[in-house]
């Protein structure tokens, strides 16, 4: 198996005059992390082309993308105010060269003066003012609008009492001021998220047309339009103003509905990188690929969600029983060759805020589960949902078999759809039974591990969960300037989730990445958000 190396992201001067931001590390890839990709192997002249598996994105507008398939592409097309240093998981300069704050509530960002969009439009502080106000405008219905809910003036815009947020101000062309409703230490980390990427003026003229060929300011620019269910191709943007440009000249994300087909295509050399090989291939990956594979531990959290808007799942004892009836380790051993970590947390264990032993109902106890389920009047018929073509069929079926065996469930029906359609079904609250979903940290914070999925009304709160005590703890932790005190609050909030169990924790994922002979395996790196950084890949053959 390959040792893993990557280029070190250059870090610029960042002035933070208040308490240190709550920046918590998550696991990265295995192997060695030193060195420079450019030294790992002799790359082809000009950088070459790298192709990678992807699923069909749901959206390609930054403020509307809440899933990995689209956000992975957008990450190459856009650069936000702040980026994440891949070696430390700490915030580092993006468009903003530096930032400072005295109280963690009012923040000043100093922008670089050389940034432009791919069409040549200059990026200024006003660019971010316009973008952020557009994202939160209810008329634009962006899924990530609520990421701005702690910006001063957000609620006034949402309620229709103001056209712009008071808390986002262009002091001059290259000075942006953000004022929050309360102190929020993780702001620089949060600003690395897709929702905060800047958009050019052309986006507002016709957002539907823009989505088919987004004009960004990132390392790569679109080559043609999004070919739905086929591919998205990008070319290196040579005028990118950052310090660490992409290595490949061209990246092609190829859309597959069946991950097995992608695996075989990498094996035959028709595809360069598959970042999530199917679980059933773990036992044969070495014979299939030799040294052309690598394992990465990630923050990726897999769970079985429960639609609390359905009456049969509103009794917490039903939810507890469903969880206790699952033998996670048996499924991991049988299907994943032991490569996943059974989840007894909501917060990834790599983050120090994760509680220890909080999940009383994550232990396998089929007898207690059966008794609890019967007493609570749990449903005897279940429809179980999962996204198709991504290797989930076997383990979801294994869960259903355990439920039938341990809980006396008589009839199970499976509903599987491609990912974009699957999310649309969640958005419309048309899920009627347990569903498979996952969550990865777009920035390394316990706040992000919980708030977007479980806070009342959050865009990714597909369970429709609501608990006032939980919401209050999250808000208090977000406002806390002392990292240790905030960590304690996040842990308390996690304990509430594990008691209420709107989702059943399954495991934290280990990703198996396979690649062709055309690329240098030592240049492949997957971050804690499960993004494989294609901009760092060294192409050795054309």
């Amino acid at each position: 198996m390959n040792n893993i190396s990557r280029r070190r992201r250059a870090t610029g001067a960042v002035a933070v005059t208040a308490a240190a931001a709550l920046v918590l590390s998550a696991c990265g890839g295995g192997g060695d992390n030193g060195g420079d990709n450019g030294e790992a192997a002799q790359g082809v002249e000009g950088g070459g082309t790298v192709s990678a598996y992807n699923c069909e994105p749901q959206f390609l507008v930054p403020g509307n993308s809440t899933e990995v398939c689209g956000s992975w592409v957008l990450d190459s097309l856009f650069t936000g105010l702040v980026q994440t240093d891949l070696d430390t998981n700490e915030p580092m300069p993006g468009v903003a060269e530096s930032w400072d704050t005295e109280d963690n509530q009012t923040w000043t960002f100093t922008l670089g003066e050389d940034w432009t969009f791919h069409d040549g439009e200059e990026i200024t502080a006003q660019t971010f003012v316009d973008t952020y106000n557009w994202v939160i405008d209810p008329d634009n219905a962006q899924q990530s609008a609520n990421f701005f809910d702690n910006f001063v003036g957000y609620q006034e815009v949402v309620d229709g009492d103001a056209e712009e947020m008071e808390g986002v101000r262009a002091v001059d062309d290259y000075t942006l001021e953000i004022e929050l409703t309360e102190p929020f230490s993780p702001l620089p980390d949060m600003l690395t998220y897709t929702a905060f990427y800047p958009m050019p003026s052309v986006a507002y003229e016709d957002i539907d047309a823009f989505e088919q060929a987004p004009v960004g300011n990132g390392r790569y620019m679109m080559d043609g339009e999004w070919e739905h269910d086929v591919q998205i191709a990008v070319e290196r943007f040579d005028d990118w103003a950052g310090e660490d440009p992409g290595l490949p000249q061209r990246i092609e994300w190829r859309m597959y509905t069946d991950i097995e087909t992608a695996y075989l295509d990498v094996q035959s050399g028709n595809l360069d990188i598959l970042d999530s090989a199917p679980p059933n291939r773990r036992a044969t990956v070495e014979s299939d690929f030799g040294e052309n594979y690598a394992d990465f531990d990630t923050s990726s959290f897999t769970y079985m969600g429960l639609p609390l808007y359905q009456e049969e799942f509103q009794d917490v004892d039903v939810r507890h029983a469903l969880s206790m009836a699952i033998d996670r380790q048996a499924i991991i051993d049988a299907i994943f060759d032991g490569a996943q970590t059974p989840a007894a947390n909501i917060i990834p264990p790599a983050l120090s805020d994760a509680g220890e032993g909080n999940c009383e109902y994550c232990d396998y106890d089929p007898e207690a589960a059966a008794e609890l389920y019967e007493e609570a009047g749990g449903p005897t018929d279940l429809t179980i949902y999962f996204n198709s073509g991504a290797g989930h069929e076997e383990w979801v079926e294994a869960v259903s078999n355990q439920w039938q065996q341990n809980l006396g469930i008589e009839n199970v029906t499976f509903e599987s759809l491609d990912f974009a359609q699957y999310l649309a079904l969640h958005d419309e609250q048309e899920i009627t039974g347990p569903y498979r979903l996952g969550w990865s940290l777009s920035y390394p914070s316990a706040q992000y591990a919980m708030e977007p999925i479980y806070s009342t009304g959050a865009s990714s709160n597909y369970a429709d969960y609501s608990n006032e005590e939980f919401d209050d703890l999250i808000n208090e932790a977000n406002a806390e300037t002392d990292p240790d005190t905030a960590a304690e609050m996040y842990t308390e909030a996690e304990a509430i989730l594990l008691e209420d169990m709107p989702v059943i924790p399954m495991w934290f994922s280990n990703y198996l990445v396979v690649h062709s002979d055309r690329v240098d395996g030592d240049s492949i790196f997957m971050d804690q958000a499960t993004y494989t950084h294609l901009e760092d890949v060294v192409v050795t053959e054309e």
Side-chain angles (χ1 to χ4, degrees), residues 177-480:
E177 191 170 81
I178 295 177
E179 182 182 356
L180 307 177
T181 56
E182 56 191 9
F184 184 69
S185 296
L187 179 65
D189 301 278
M190 188 174 74
L191 291 175
T192 66
Y193 184 59
T194 312
F196 298 94
Y197 292 159
M199 294 201 306
S201 55
V202 66
Y204 313 125
E205 298 171 7
D206 187 340
I207 194 62
D208 292 332
F210 176 81
E211 184 169 33
Q212 304 314 305
V215 177
N217 66 318
R219 292 175 177 84
Y220 288 85
M221 59 188 296
M222 290 289 292
D223 181 22
E225 294 192 349
W226 173 7
E227 299 177 58
H228 289 269
D229 300 310
V230 179
Q231 76 166 12
I232 296 172
V234 298
E235 292 278 338
R236 189 171 58 211
F237 179 52
D238 291 330
D239 291 330
W240 186 66
E243 298 179 3
D244 195 12
L247 295 182
Q249 175 62 35
R250 179 181 173 87
I251 297 172
E252 295 175 356
W253 282 274
R254 298 179 185 171
M255 313 309 173
Y256 286 79
T257 57
D258 180 19
I259 201 167
E260 285 284 347
T261 303
Y263 186 89
L264 295 174
D265 276 358
V266 179
Q267 195 174 7
S268 64
N270 293 321
L271 181 71
D272 291 322
I273 295 174
L274 169 60
D275 66 341
S276 52
N280 63 299
R281 292 292 188 170
R282 284 190 170 273
T284 63
V285 67
E286 189 168 359
S287 60
D288 290 343
F289 284 93
E291 294 186 348
N292 288 359
Y293 76 97
D295 275 319
F296 294 91
D297 294 325
T298 73
S299 68
S300 179
F301 172 57
T302 295
Y303 62 87
M304 293 296 291
L306 299 166
L308 304 190
Y309 50 84
Q310 296 287 337
E311 183 178 355
E312 55 265 47
F313 301 105
Q314 291 174 3
D315 189 329
V316 70
D317 285 341
V318 170
R319 307 197 292 271
H320 290 165
L322 287 167
S323 179
M324 291 190 295
I326 300 172
D327 188 341
R328 295 159 177 79
Q329 191 62 58
I331 294 173
I332 289 169
D333 290 342
I335 296 176
F336 296 95
D337 198 25
Q340 314 290 11
T341 301
N345 293 92
I346 297 291
I347 303 171
L351 300 187
S352 61
D353 300 339
E356 295 184 8
N358 279 348
C359 190
E360 176 185 354
Y361 306 103
C362 291
D363 292 334
Y364 180 53
D365 191 342
E367 292 80 11
E371 182 178 350
L372 194 62
Y373 199 73
E374 183 177 1
E375 290 177 354
T380 57
D381 295 345
L382 287 180
T383 300
I384 303 176
Y385 296 77
F386 62 94
N387 53 301
S388 59
H392 301 304
E393 290 83 355
E394 277 193 87
W395 75 258
V396 170
E397 184 176 355
V399 170
S400 74
N401 289 339
Q402 292 183 356
W403 282 342
Q404 288 179 288
Q405 178 180 343
N406 296 328
L407 301 179
I409 292 171
E410 299 173 359
N411 299 302
V412 171
T413 303
F414 297 103
E415 290 284 348
S416 62
L417 305 90
D418 69 68
F419 198 58
Q421 291 177 319
Y422 185 59
L423 287 184
L425 207 62
H426 283 283
D427 291 336
E428 295 159 6
Q429 290 197 342
E430 294 184 2
I431 301 291
T432 62
Y435 58 87
R436 173 270 152 198
L437 271 178
W439 190 256
S440 299
L441 298 186
S442 291
Y443 53 91
S445 169
Q447 172 266 332
Y448 189 74
M450 296 186 290
E451 185 172 9
I453 324 175
Y454 311 108
S455 289
T456 302
S459 61
S460 295
N461 185 353
Y462 295 122
D464 200 31
Y465 172 69
S466 180
N467 182 303
E468 185 176 354
E469 183 182 2
F470 171 81
D471 291 343
D472 289 345
L473 271 171
I474 289 292
N475 291 334
E476 290 171 16
N478 289 347
E480 179 57 54

Side-chain angles (χ1 to χ4, degrees), residues 97 112-116 174 239-241:
E97 293 179 340
E113 299 185 12
D114 298 325
W115 288 87
T116 68
Y174 302 107
D239 291 330
W240 186 66

